[in-house]
Amino acid sequence: MEPNPRMKWLPWVSTPVVLVLVLVVWQLAVSVFGVSEFTLPTPAQVAGALGGLLTDATTWGHIAITLAEVAVGFVVALATGVVVGVVLGRAEWLERALRPVLVAVQVVPKVAFIPLFVIWFGFGVTSKIIMAATLAFFPIMLNVMLGVRSVDRGHRDVMLGLGAKRWPTFRDLELPSTLPYVFAGMEVAVVFAVIGAIVGEYLGGSEGLGYLVVVSLNALDAPQLFAVIFLLAVLGCLLYLVVNGAKRFVIPWHESVLGADTP
Amino acid sequence: MTRGSHAEAVDDVGTDGAAEEVAENAELELRGVDKIYRARSGATTQALQDISLSVRAGEFISLVGRSGCGKTTLLRILAGLVSPSSGQVLTGGRDLWQGGRRDLAASARFGLVFQDANLFPWFSVEDNIALPLKLRGVDKRTRRARAAELCDLVGLSGFEKSLPRELSGGMRQRAAIARALSYDPSILLMDEPFGALDALTRDRMNLELQKISVVTGATVVFVTHSITEAVFLADRVVLLSPRPGRIRSVTGVEFPRPRSLDVESEPAFQDVVRRLRHELDEEGG
């Protein structure tokens, strides 16, 4: 469906409207319908808790830790995912040979590995980085594999007809036609990396936003729980925007960039 | 075979006769080419059978036939994209396939235009047109100058910096032609290049293609399923019959090139078209 260029302003109006509506319903649920403030704190209470968190230096330490885990895990997943994806995409026999293993690894809920990672790599950041990387690896690898195989036949014929050698064929054809797939994988992977790091922090360790969630839960501090979730949402959005911005910069010619004028 | 303008504008030439006659100075020559495709199941399909054809330098040849008659396969064999199962492809007297490997020096003489423009969406029009030069190691300034020159030739001036997706179908196909011309190939191989265009654009593109082929003096082999288009453009029309694809007839079209669209309304022209259509119908199917 072709987006109507005249509707470009719509999300800029609809998003605040939706936000305000959510806040109103939320406030009403507490003050009019009598939902216990213990389970559902008012927006004001959450804002207060958020303010308290942000003025506390240790919160920023937690944010930095989680961000570092996500970033390192994501970069590791990107590097390994691209390499493995290219190799499996090229060597079809290898992919066929490994397919049962790959499927098996993929269908296992990866978060079940976290206790293992904790045993192997301890309660520090390493186990969280590995968890983030494990979750982010698959979407990147699968997309790259698909991308390597999806180089347009007609485009290949052009290069073949021109007698292009291996390196120019990679530089001018294979790399640019695979990049959109890499970015599609990255957009999914960055979200997965956050999940991996947070769940890792739930289960072990004493730092990071996931740890802060557990602390808030143990204290039954619902306002702070909401506030941390809000921080996580902001973190996720920022990371997504970074990947999306990189995409716009690297493949400005692609439909997913040109067609998507709206944020 | 002479190119005259006598009233009887048509003469049929037996394929064997034509091959022998011009074998000496043939720009492009097929000798007894067969192509057999082997499916995974082991079943074989004979796509082409004993194709012999000789094309003179500067000649415009149209290949026509029903869908599935192997005309695209034949063009891909000429282009060196597919190897023949048996027989020879010679260009300028050199064998295109040297011991199972494509002779890159020989195929450098070819310019290819496909049914789809196949422009790279990540390159501007200019970079697309100059891609063959980039692969040949030509420096950027020369490439840019040549691209501008070619944009002028095919009527794309002012669109050098545009992305392919910003162009219409006809403009993309022009860019593809410009790309094929960028390194001055002596032979242009075109596979239904205007098949996806509307009739008006197609007429205009055909006129321009004629102009270009006369200006550059290139030899052209042009695959189409439109008989009118084939006759309008070509010095000789090669009619293929299907399963297995073989040459049914070779028909000379004796109107001097370049031609205007008025030619199409001349009785002699319509006569050729009618005869070819009749031949095609005889095959049934």
Side-chain angles (χ1 to χ4, degrees):
Chain A
M1 220 171 69
E2 200 66 28
N4 186 340
R6 279 173 301 177
M7 302 293 267
K8 229 169 158 175
W9 49 268
L10 191 60
W12 297 103
V13 177
S14 61
T15 312
V17 167
V18 170
L19 275 177
V20 168
L21 266 178
V22 168
L23 286 175
V24 167
V25 171
W26 182 359
Q27 183 66 51
L28 284 178
V30 182
S31 52
V32 177
F33 300 106
V35 177
S36 158
E37 283 185 20
F38 189 67
T39 44
L40 186 66
T42 61
Q45 283 172 315
V46 172
L50 188 63
L53 279 178
L54 291 179
T55 48
D56 187 350
T58 54
T59 310
W60 291 99
H62 290 307
I63 291 175
I65 289 285
T66 301
L67 199 58
E69 288 165 358
V70 170
V72 176
F74 179 75
V75 169
V76 169
L78 182 60
T80 52
V82 168
V83 171
V84 176
V86 167
V87 170
L88 291 184
R90 283 281 179 81
E92 219 156 316
W93 63 272
L94 189 62
E95 193 261 337
R96 191 162 298 182
L98 294 180
R99 196 178 291 165
V101 181
L102 284 174
V103 171
V105 177
Q106 249 179 285
V107 295
V108 172
K110 255 91 48 196
V111 288
F113 288 119
I114 294 175
L116 261 186
F117 290 158
V118 171
I119 294 175
W120 291 343
F121 306 106
F123 285 93
V125 290
T126 317
S127 55
K128 284 95 186 172
I129 288 174
I130 290 175
M131 196 59 231
T134 310
L135 278 186
F137 169 79
F138 283 95
I140 293 178
M141 187 271 280
L142 290 173
N143 269 285
V144 170
M145 196 169 86
L146 184 65
V148 167
R149 290 191 186 158
S150 309
V151 176
D152 188 85
R153 270 288 289 275
H155 290 165
R156 277 215 187 280
D157 281 350
V158 169
M159 289 307 249
L160 200 61
L162 291 170
K165 301 224 163 51
R166 226 189 155 83
W167 164 246
T169 305
F170 174 77
R171 179 195 59 198
D172 293 331
L173 172 62
E174 289 165 348
L175 178 68
S177 40
T178 310
L179 278 177
Y181 291 87
V182 178
F183 277 103
M186 279 164 68
E187 282 176 346
V188 179
V190 77
V191 176
F192 278 26
V194 176
I195 296 175
I198 296 301
V199 177
E201 288 164 356
Y202 281 177
L203 290 182
S206 55
E207 28 183 22
L209 288 173
Y211 168 74
L212 210 52
V213 168
V214 177
V215 170
S216 313
L217 175 66
N218 290 341
L220 290 179
D221 188 347
Q224 184 169 308
L225 210 46
F226 270 78
V228 179
I229 292 170
F230 180 80
L231 285 180
L232 283 170
V234 171
L235 184 75
C237 284
L238 283 178
L239 287 169
Y240 181 84
L241 283 179
V242 168
V243 172
N244 197 263
K247 179 172 94 171
R248 282 160 185 272
F249 180 72
V250 178
I251 49 167
W253 50 267
H254 193 250
E255 273 92 351
S256 68
V257 175
L258 288 160
D261 288 320
T262 50
Chain B
M1 212 183 113
T2 52
R3 264 209 269 164
S5 53
H6 51 95
E8 182 58 59
V10 184
D11 62 332
D12 261 300
V13 184
T15 53
D16 289 348
E20 276 161 30
E21 191 181 340
V22 286
E24 294 295 308
N25 56 349
E27 176 82 344
L28 195 56
E29 196 182 348
L30 294 165
R31 283 189 193 158
V33 165
D34 291 304
K35 180 67 195 176
I36 296 163
Y37 282 114
R38 214 170 295 274
R40 260 184 206 174
S41 59
T44 57
T45 321
Q46 180 142 26
L48 295 172
Q49 189 182 50
D50 193 26
I51 305 275
S52 294
L53 181 69
S54 186
V55 184
R56 276 178 286 115
E59 195 175 19
F60 200 122
I61 296 277
S62 289
L63 289 176
V64 272
R66 296 177 179 284
S67 332
C69 71
K71 48 193 196 298
T72 292
T73 303
L74 185 55
L75 196 84
R76 291 175 73 85
I77 285 178
L78 280 172
L81 292 175
V82 173
S83 63
S85 301
S86 61
Q88 274 182 308
V89 185
L90 298 155
T91 163
R94 283 176 67 139
D95 203 328
L96 190 58
W97 292 88
Q98 306 273 4
R101 288 182 67 91
R102 189 162 64 119
D103 179 8
L104 286 180
S107 57
R109 295 152 46 90
F110 295 128
L112 270 66
V113 182
F114 303 91
Q115 190 162 6
D116 298 314
N118 285 334
L119 301 176
F120 292 179
W122 44 88
F123 286 153
S124 64
V125 167
E126 173 180 75
D127 288 342
N128 265 293
I129 290 175
L131 174 68
L133 303 177
K134 187 180 178 189
L135 296 177
R136 282 168 163 73
V138 176
D139 69 277
K140 197 159 187 160
R141 265 185 53 200
T142 318
R143 287 191 333 237
R144 194 156 288 174
R146 178 75 179 136
E149 207 177 291
L150 284 160
C151 277
D152 196 41
L153 178 71
V154 299
L156 278 178
S157 290
F159 291 95
E160 286 89 346
K161 306 286 179 205
S162 304
L163 285 174
R165 55 174 282 133
E166 294 160 348
L167 304 183
S168 68
M171 289 161 90
R172 276 182 224 168
Q173 210 49 271
R174 282 166 212 243
I177 293 172
R179 176 177 61 192
L181 292 172
S182 64
Y183 48 103
D184 289 316
S186 46
I187 304 164
L188 267 182
L189 303 172
M190 310 179 93
D191 185 8
E192 297 191 42
F194 311 136
L197 305 180
D198 64 272
L200 284 175
T201 314
R202 202 168 168 159
D203 280 346
R204 219 174 52 231
M205 296 295 288
N206 282 337
L207 285 173
E208 275 175 46
L209 173 60
Q210 275 206 95
K211 192 185 78 191
I212 289 166
S213 83
V214 170
V215 169
T216 60
T219 309
V220 186
V221 179
F222 187 96
V223 166
T224 175
H225 56 248
S226 158
I227 292 176
T228 316
E229 187 177 60
V231 175
F232 176 73
L233 288 170
D235 293 314
R236 284 191 293 158
V237 178
V238 175
L239 192 79
L240 293 179
S241 50
R243 276 176 288 275
R246 40 192 200 272
I247 294 180
R248 187 189 159 97
S249 70
V250 179
T251 307
V253 184
E254 302 292 330
F255 292 98
R257 289 193 299 126
R259 300 164 188 156
S260 75
L261 287 172
D262 296 337
V263 167
E264 289 189 8
S265 50
E266 289 196 22
F269 181 93
Q270 289 172 349
D271 210 43
V272 186
V273 172
R274 201 174 304 119
R275 281 179 47 178
L276 284 168
R277 188 156 289 148
H278 195 68
E279 271 188 56
L280 212 58
D281 284 342
E282 274 175 14
E283 286 162 6

